[in-house]
Amino acid sequence: MFKKGLIDVKRYLNSMLLLILACIILPVTAEAHTGLKSSVPASGETVQTELSTIEMVFNTKIEDLSSFDLLSEDNEKVPLQEVSVEGTVMTGTLNEALPSGSYKIEWKIVGEDGHPIKGEIPFSVQLLEAEGFDNTENPESPADSSGEQAPTSADGTVEQAPSPEDGTEPADQASDSSNEQGEEQANAQDQPDGNREFLTPALIMILAAACLAGLGIILWIRGRGKG
């Protein structure tokens, strides 16, 4: 009798142990199979565009009782216009686009086995504000060739530079004329004197021969006159 009672106690303990293990393993298995697959926005993502819809995709089909809350950085609930469940996808529509800041999605789903599962998705919004650039450039005042601004009168009009009719020449024209004069003088110095070119050695010898010939003719004529 004692041995039979001991065997019954062992069977009872084994049954209880198996039941406890089943209660522990089944929820873990269900949670592992019915988990979050992907989301928009993703966990830890920084959204830089307007966000008005949140979408979560799970590994298995979820029940219509599934829902989620959207919390701001002050842990306040952000109003949702609608939350819908279809198959493995849960979608939430916001009343208005989220401003810049930190947010957190707290989702709670019910799997096909009826076991509730929950989780969190932190993310942030940092909208890129369009900066306006002024591309208009201020018109530049008229300037002379030296880069200095032309003088203006009291009424703001630009005064014209004196014309050649006033008897004065611009500095550029005066410098050009002086350069031309210098070049003409240099060319005149480089050109040889016309008289020097005329009195060449060959011409001197010809003139000397002509003088000697003329002198000889004169002496010959005088000699014939005396005879």
Side-chain angles (χ1 to χ4, degrees), residues 50-96:
E50 290 188 354
L51 181 64
S52 56
T53 303
I54 294 174
E55 181 180 275
M56 287 169 281
V57 181
F58 296 87
N59 293 325
T60 60
K61 183 179 179 180
I62 58 177
E63 299 295 332
D64 294 339
L65 297 176
S66 304
S67 64
F68 72 91
D69 293 326
L70 179 61
L71 305 178
S72 64
E73 55 187 353
D74 298 330
N75 209 30
E76 296 181 357
K77 288 186 178 182
V78 178
L80 300 174
Q81 183 176 352
E82 182 185 5
V83 176
S84 61
V85 176
E86 184 176 356
T88 61
V89 181
M90 180 165 58
T91 306
T93 304
L94 305 175
N95 292 329
E96 58 184 7

Side-chain angles (χ1 to χ4, degrees), residues 19-144:
L19 182 60
I20 293 172
L21 291 175
C23 292
I24 295 174
I25 293 173
L26 287 177
V28 173
T29 304
E31 185 173 359
H33 286 238
T34 311
L36 180 65
K37 183 178 181 180
S38 62
S39 65
V40 178
S43 179
E45 180 182 358
T46 300
V47 181
Q48 297 181 343
T49 57
E50 290 188 354
L51 181 64
S52 56
T53 303
I54 294 174
E55 181 180 275
M56 287 169 281
V57 181
F58 296 87
N59 293 325
T60 60
K61 183 179 179 180
I62 58 177
E63 299 295 332
D64 294 339
L65 297 176
S66 304
S67 64
F68 72 91
D69 293 326
L70 179 61
L71 305 178
S72 64
E73 55 187 353
D74 298 330
N75 209 30
E76 296 181 357
K77 288 186 178 182
V78 178
L80 300 174
Q81 183 176 352
E82 182 185 5
V83 176
S84 61
V85 176
E86 184 176 356
T88 61
V89 181
M90 180 165 58
T91 306
T93 304
L94 305 175
N95 292 329
E96 58 184 7
L98 295 177
S100 298
S102 299
Y103 298 91
K104 179 175 60 174
I105 301 171
E106 291 184 348
W107 53 269
K108 298 176 182 179
I109 64 169
V110 178
E112 290 181 329
D113 57 355
H115 186 78
I117 305 172
K118 60 183 179 178
E120 296 181 354
I121 303 174
F123 69 96
S124 62
V125 176
Q126 186 176 358
L127 299 178
L128 297 177
E129 298 179 357
E131 298 180 356
F133 296 96
D134 187 8
N135 293 327
T136 59
E137 297 180 356
N138 295 327
E140 296 181 355
S141 301
D144 55 11

Side-chain angles (χ1 to χ4, degrees), residues 161-175:
S163 61
E165 296 178 359
D166 297 335
T168 59
E169 294 183 354
D172 293 340
Q173 295 181 2
S175 60

